[in-house]
Amino acid sequence: MDATLEGKICSFCGKPGSRKNRLAGGLGAMICFECIEYFHQDISSESRVAAQTRPVWDEMSDADLLHTFTLVLRSAEQNTAFAGEWVELLRRRKLSWAEIGKALGVSRQAAWERFSTTSTSRRRDASA
């Protein structure tokens, strides 16, 4: 499993991880310390919570929405990569495609079709 910050982004603001912009995360989502502080202050303030009557995207311009949409897709791609890494971990531990499929609520075949090429190409890239 790749625990480096290289290529990872904050799932909340989209900033890339680095030595200066450390990320914390789990289960695919990553968050930078700046966002942790912001959201902590946000939920700790009764007045800020009360002032939130509409979703943030209702206040965004079309340009802001388009920019944020690209960040949403980057975060989704990051989560897909994390899922592939988890499947690799499960397969290294000799769990079957049937067990993985059952955990996902799909057939063995569907799990294999979704993840086998990802794990195979990642192994090939690592050995190159």
Side-chain angles (χ1 to χ4, degrees):
M1 194 97 53
D2 180 13
T4 65
L5 292 178
E6 186 177 323
K8 307 275 188 332
I9 62 168
C10 175
S11 301
F12 296 85
C13 70
K15 292 179 186 170
S18 67
R19 287 177 154 227
K20 286 187 173 189
N21 188 37
R22 296 185 347 209
L23 300 172
L27 301 179
M30 305 294 283
I31 188 168
C32 67
F33 289 6
E34 187 177 319
C35 283
I36 290 172
E37 181 64 28
Y38 172 81
F39 288 115
H40 174 72
Q41 290 175 6
D42 206 37
I43 64 173
S44 298
S45 166
E46 287 185 36
S47 62
R48 282 172 75 167
V49 170
Q52 295 175 356
T53 58
R54 295 174 19 182
V56 65
W57 49 84
D58 282 354
E59 308 295 326
M60 297 171 104
S61 68
D62 291 348
D64 289 338
L65 282 172
L66 286 169
H67 172 73
T68 302
F69 178 59
T70 64
L71 298 176
V72 168
L73 291 178
R74 285 180 59 204
S75 182
E77 290 165 1
Q78 177 172 275
N79 285 326
T80 298
F82 281 136
E85 290 176 7
W86 277 88
V87 169
E88 286 179 22
L89 173 66
L90 294 167
R91 294 294 293 152
R92 280 195 306 271
R93 290 189 177 189
K94 308 293 186 211
L95 275 80
S96 69
W97 285 110
E99 291 171 295
I100 294 168
K102 184 176 180 182
L104 296 172
V106 299
S107 69
R108 172 204 62 80
Q109 183 70 25
W112 181 84
E113 287 175 0
R114 180 172 178 189
F115 291 105
S116 69
T117 56
T118 305
S119 62
T120 302
S121 64
R122 202 174 281 130
R123 280 195 305 270
R124 225 179 302 132
D125 291 345
S127 64

